[in-house]
Amino acid sequence: MRDLDTTSSPDDQARAILTGNDRGGYTVPTAGLYPYQWNWDSAFAALGFATFDIDRAWAEVETLFTGQWKNGMVPHILFHKPDPGYFPGPDVWGCHGPIPSSGISQPPVAATFIRHIFDADPDRGRARLEALFPKLTAWHQWFMNWRSDEGAICITHPWEAGRDNAPDWDGAMAAITPDGVGEYQRRDLGHVDAAMRPTKEDYDRYIWLVQRGRRLGWNEAKLAEARPFMVADPTMTFVLMRANTDLLAMAKAIGQPTDEIEAWAHTLTQGAASLWNADIGAFDSRNVLTGVRTGTVSNASFLCWYAGLEASEALPAFDRIAAAAPFGVPSYDPAAANFDSRRYWRGPSWPMLNMAIAWGLSEQGYTDRAEALRASTADLLTRHGFYEYFDPTDGHPAGGSNFTWTAAIWLAWASPNAGDA
Ligand code: DGY
């Protein structure tokens, strides 16, 4: 995309990013590095569009669901148009959904943002919600069928959590020997400094897992027989728990049955509780194959409030980390020896998760913390622009620029004008 006109207001710049990344019915996260429709990026985009163009917001999620598989899964990437600048593309994934896609999913934030869009104008949104509702329900059902470990929602590939190289997966990834992965050429390093991206050791395992999925035809029953990687993840668990609450509210609003959704809520609440780790005073991940707790305090740990939990027991860890990282919330504990302030999910702060954390803090009545987080995120974005992520120690911008979800959360939450639309 062209350089932004930095003399215009941040609100105008954010809108220009969304419309500039619009490829017609769907939005790319950023030109170059991520040239397709990504699942949760797209839901955030819809939230941003809703601040100035409700129809376009609905279209974004409707396009996302055109990629839904027969089993209910909504892929993490939809390859609408070929783009040789990205690896691994559709030929590597080898999937057979209605649109060329990846074979894994991503945190299901969609129901939450769809509720937000619906609530903005229920009369206008009703028919569109009625059409999306069974699709959303089928997707949530897919998580409960194939990704639940006693209610804690698991990932089967690090990309499924969206937190690709988080330290949460280190133990489980080390157990994989990526034999036979072969030669391949990464494309991400042509767009972003290698020090800000996952390592080759990580990438070999990412691709090895994709090759296994492809070999097994992305058949969940076959994939589940001897999983080489399965980790119960706070991102997935808390996001689905929240999404399910929002799905329930929408079911009531449009007169749909609620029994099944209520049963999932019960299971998810138990699953979420199982991720509490008293040793570290925070929610963390669990390697399902070994039962080992990861001991990792991340920004996903602090989605507990967004999930709807009161969780005052997690506040001391949040406060400790907020004091240690002036440009938070860091994706990993700055006190940890392997904290890496600019490397993707091993340190940097991610503005879109800041929004989710702050929504949760505010809903649980921790409003001062929520407002401090909004103000510090707003400061970061007005100073440096709408980057993908930031160094939490000095605020240095990192990853892709003109980033869709960063612009979206500016409009929906961080901007002083958010909420006026
Ligand atoms: C990538 O290509 O880095 C993505 O995070 C995978 O979804």
Side-chain angles (χ1 to χ4, degrees):
M1 126 169 223
R2 278 166 291 122
D3 283 346
L4 283 176
D5 172 7
T6 44
T7 58
S8 66
S9 75
D11 285 11
D12 285 343
Q13 290 177 41
R15 283 187 284 266
I17 289 173
L18 289 184
T19 51
N21 288 340
D22 186 349
R23 295 292 178 269
Y26 71 94
T27 312
V28 299
T30 186
L33 181 61
Y34 304 120
Y36 301 108
Q37 184 175 25
W38 260 260
N39 188 323
W40 68 332
D41 293 76
S42 193
F44 278 98
L47 189 71
F49 277 120
T51 64
F52 65 100
D53 186 347
I54 283 274
D55 282 333
R56 184 61 190 76
W58 282 108
E60 184 77 29
V61 279
E62 286 162 356
T63 306
L64 177 64
F65 277 87
T66 62
Q68 185 167 35
W69 289 15
K70 279 205 197 83
N71 67 359
M73 198 273 278
V74 182
H76 102 290
I77 311 176
L78 298 181
F79 303 109
H80 292 287
K81 285 183 248 171
D83 191 313
Y86 183 79
F87 175 87
D91 49 326
V92 181
W93 287 94
C95 294
H96 304 286
I99 290 179
S101 74
S102 66
I104 55 172
S105 201
Q106 233 175 7
V109 289
T112 297
F113 300 159
I114 289 171
R115 179 182 179 195
H116 195 87
I117 297 164
F118 172 70
D119 283 349
D121 191 343
D123 292 337
R124 206 155 131 210
R126 189 176 174 107
R128 298 181 96 154
L129 177 58
E130 281 170 350
L132 277 171
F133 183 83
K135 300 177 188 178
L136 276 169
T137 308
W139 187 26
H140 288 200
Q141 172 87 69
W142 177 85
F143 278 108
M144 300 310 288
N145 288 349
W146 297 112
R147 293 293 185 271
S148 170
D149 180 53
E150 295 170 19
I153 303 301
C154 306
I155 58 165
T156 59
H157 189 297
W159 287 340
E160 212 159 36
R163 299 190 294 129
D164 301 12
N165 65 342
D168 300 49
W169 333 130
D170 285 0
M173 287 283 268
I176 294 175
T177 310
D179 282 341
V181 74
E183 294 294 313
Y184 59 90
Q185 197 192 347
R186 286 174 68 171
R187 301 287 179 174
D188 56 322
L189 302 182
H191 302 287
V192 169
D193 183 347
M196 297 178 179
R197 294 287 303 174
T199 59
K200 167 150 173 63
E201 288 66 40
D202 285 326
Y203 247 82
D204 281 353
R205 288 164 177 80
Y206 299 154
I207 301 305
W208 186 87
L209 285 167
V210 171
Q211 291 170 343
R212 174 176 183 265
R214 183 196 175 122
R215 235 182 0 261
L216 297 177
W218 297 104
N219 176 308
E220 289 295 346
K222 285 192 193 147
L223 286 162
E225 271 168 25
R227 292 204 190 270
F229 179 95
M230 189 164 191
V231 182
D233 163 33
T235 341
M236 280 294 189
T237 306
F238 292 142
V239 164
L240 186 62
M241 191 170 158
R242 167 62 177 259
N244 198 57
T245 303
D246 293 314
L247 188 68
L248 182 63
M250 291 190 284
K252 289 179 181 158
I254 60 170
Q256 293 292 321
T258 56
D259 291 4
E260 192 171 46
I261 305 173
E262 278 162 357
W264 295 338
H266 181 71
T267 309
L268 286 163
T269 305
Q270 288 177 328
S274 81
L275 296 183
W276 175 252
N277 184 342
D279 292 345
I280 58 167
F283 295 90
D284 68 356
S285 303
R286 176 173 72 241
N287 183 340
V288 173
L289 306 181
T290 59
V292 171
R293 302 300 300 254
T294 60
T296 43
V297 188
S298 69
N299 47 357
S301 302
F302 302 122
L303 292 172
C304 49
W305 305 297
Y306 173 86
L309 300 173
E310 189 258 351
S312 56
E313 66 278 20
L315 290 171
F318 180 82
D319 291 342
R320 173 178 66 78
I321 286 179
F327 306 94
V329 179
S331 46
Y332 189 43
D333 188 343
N338 52 346
F339 169 79
D340 190 343
S341 68
R342 295 203 183 160
R343 198 181 288 283
Y344 216 39
W345 290 91
R346 302 181 77 85
S349 18
W350 290 73
M352 91 299 182
L353 280 197
N354 286 1
M355 184 195 79
I357 293 167
W359 275 18
L361 283 167
S362 169
E363 286 161 2
Q364 296 305 323
Y366 311 131
T367 47
D368 291 350
R369 291 175 177 89
E371 175 49 24
L373 185 51
R374 192 203 62 75
S376 73
T377 307
D379 182 42
L380 208 47
L381 304 192
T382 41
R383 254 199 248 190
H384 299 290
F386 300 92
Y387 276 82
E388 184 179 8
Y389 45 99
F390 295 85
D391 184 324
T393 63
D394 62 6
H396 192 279
S401 61
N402 296 339
F403 217 85
T404 291
W405 64 18
T406 310
I409 66 94
W410 171 267
L411 292 168
W413 165 71
S415 164
N417 307 315
D420 292 353

